[in-house]
Amino acid sequence: MLIIGDLNAHPAEDPIAALKAGWDGVPGNGDDWVDLLAPSDYSYVFRGRTGRLDHAIASPTLAAQVSGAGVWHINADESGAFDFSEDNPAPAALYTIDPYRSSNHDAVVVGVH
């Protein structure tokens, strides 16, 4: 099993620790789930500070099949000048049909073999 996406919790917060503790809720034994991202990974930038609310957490059996995981930096580092928000209605000329500027968070990518 894989839990992936914006969980609205930082890696050190209780909800993430509870997920990683596995089915029995006790960390440090064989049913612990694996955080597939590095502690230094970030998926958003807010007021010049980076953080991560987006996660990829795998069950032990799936974690053994993961070939790689990481954050695809296509959004978070984007200048506010290109932000399509109500506060900054960017000109239509900036719109393109591609994954860039598709969110205020970067995408998490997981490879499985």
Side-chain angles (χ1 to χ4, degrees), residues 33-112:
W33 286 43
V34 179
D35 186 345
L36 300 174
L37 301 177
S40 60
D41 281 335
Y42 68 93
S43 62
Y44 74 90
V45 177
F46 182 72
R47 295 185 178 167
R49 299 188 71 185
T50 61
R52 180 160 57 93
L53 300 173
D54 305 272
H55 300 272
I57 301 171
S59 64
T61 52
L62 182 67
Q65 300 174 58
V66 170
S67 58
V71 178
W72 184 20
H73 293 292
I74 60 171
N75 297 306
D77 295 317
E78 190 73 55
S79 166
F82 297 109
D83 185 16
F84 291 95
S85 70
E86 292 178 11
D87 297 332
N88 182 24
L94 295 176
Y95 177 77
T96 58
I97 300 175
D98 63 26
Y100 299 94
R101 296 186 306 271
S102 57
S103 173
N104 62 339
H105 289 220
D106 289 326
V108 173
V109 180
V110 177
V112 179

Side-chain angles (χ1 to χ4, degrees), residues 1-3 19-23 31-35 57-60:
M1 295 177 66
L2 176 67
I3 300 171
L19 286 171
K20 289 171 39 180
W23 301 112
D31 78 336
D32 288 4
W33 286 43
V34 179
D35 186 345
I57 301 171
S59 64

